[in-house]
Amino acid sequence: MHTTVRTGRTVTSKDHLVCATFAALLTFSIKIALVPSMVWSIIGWYLVWKNWETFNAYCYQRRDGLR
């Protein structure tokens, strides 16, 4: 995941909303992953991985000017 995206544009309120949403989703996913049940742990780590990939894709799209 890239924490800094140099777009040459102003950071918008949408960017703040996206970052806050992904932070909340990652926190929730990690809490699920740490549940001492094998099934919930697998589901939680899968959600962490998918959220990470989706946020990374958003960063690349934002960098390339697609959004």
Side-chain angles (χ1 to χ4, degrees):
M1 181 189 319
H2 301 287
T3 56
T4 304
V5 177
R6 295 178 188 261
T7 62
R9 289 185 221 106
T10 305
V11 176
T12 63
S13 60
K14 179 185 176 189
D15 294 328
H16 290 290
L17 181 65
V18 168
C19 288
T21 302
F22 278 112
L25 287 173
L26 281 172
T27 302
F28 178 69
S29 300
I30 289 171
K31 286 182 181 183
I32 289 176
L34 295 177
V35 170
S37 166
M38 183 76 147
V39 174
W40 285 111
S41 182
I42 290 170
I43 291 171
W45 289 120
Y46 176 77
L47 290 174
V48 168
W49 173 63
K50 291 307 287 182
N51 286 326
W52 189 281
E53 279 192 341
T54 305
F55 186 70
N56 200 27
Y58 174 79
C59 290
Y60 279 123
Q61 287 177 347
R62 179 81 169 108
R63 182 196 66 192
D64 296 337
L66 299 177
R67 284 191 181 189

